[in-house]
Amino acid sequence: MIPRHLVSKGAGIALDLATGLARDPNDGPGKAVFFSDVTLWLDKQGKDWADFGVDYEAVIDELVKAPVPQLYTTLVQKAHAILCDASRDGVRLYYPGGDVEHVTPQVRADVHAAITTSLERDWPPYIQGLIDRGALQPR
């Protein structure tokens, strides 16, 4: 979706890695791929972003500022923490009362699925609205 001439080489590599993961029949998370998914996928292969010459933080900052369609969503703090987790065993959430919750990979998959469902619902009308207003030209 993002023309590579609009982003740096590092951002292009990150987007290509996300596309590769989306198409991976074994590890692919489906239609929505998050940076944490790519980070975990790379880790399972014994690699990290630097192995591809990608400055992770710089690429995220660049893509947030890129002149491309972006749909912002509201997440509860817990879902955001789960979405950002790239650990193999799942994040542990510590609550003020002393409770600790271990977020299993299945819970992460459930949160991922819920966010994907939201994106599948909201992205098409958002893009169509941009097209209707002339802010985006279809190919």
Side-chain angles (χ1 to χ4, degrees), residues 17 38 48 50 64 66 98 107:
L17 287 170
V38 178
D48 62 26
V64 167
V107 171

Side-chain angles (χ1 to χ4, degrees), residues 1 24 40-42 44 51 70 81 86 88 103 107 112-113 119 126 128:
M1 172 96 199
D24 186 311
L40 180 56
W41 185 53
L42 292 175
K44 288 178 180 178
D51 291 328
Q70 297 182 30
R88 290 185 187 205
V103 178
V107 171
H112 196 288
L119 291 172
Y126 167 68
Q128 189 61 54

Side-chain angles (χ1 to χ4, degrees), residues 6-129:
L6 293 177
V7 297
S8 68
K9 180 180 176 184
I13 291 169
L15 295 170
D16 291 342
L17 287 170
T19 299
L21 176 56
R23 293 180 178 156
D24 186 311
N26 297 318
D27 291 325
K31 292 180 181 181
V33 177
F34 303 108
F35 271 82
S36 58
D37 297 327
V38 178
T39 302
L40 180 56
W41 185 53
L42 292 175
D43 181 65
K44 288 178 180 178
Q45 298 173 46
K47 299 182 185 305
D48 62 26
W49 292 98
D51 291 328
F52 295 89
V54 174
D55 180 337
Y56 176 86
E57 296 292 335
V59 165
I60 289 175
D61 187 54
E62 177 184 348
L63 291 175
V64 167
K65 295 174 183 172
V68 297
Q70 297 182 30
L71 178 66
Y72 292 91
T73 61
T74 301
L75 298 175
V76 297
Q77 196 171 21
K78 180 178 176 178
H80 183 261
I82 293 169
L83 174 67
C84 292
D85 175 46
S87 67
R88 290 185 187 205
D89 298 323
V91 67
R92 284 182 170 59
L93 302 175
Y94 295 86
Y95 296 97
D99 291 337
V100 178
E101 177 184 2
H102 177 227
V103 178
T104 64
Q106 181 59 54
V107 171
R108 185 181 192 281
D110 293 344
V111 169
H112 196 288
I115 294 168
T116 300
T117 298
S118 175
L119 291 172
E120 288 174 334
R121 179 193 68 226
D122 297 341
W123 184 258
Y126 167 68
I127 293 298
Q128 189 61 54

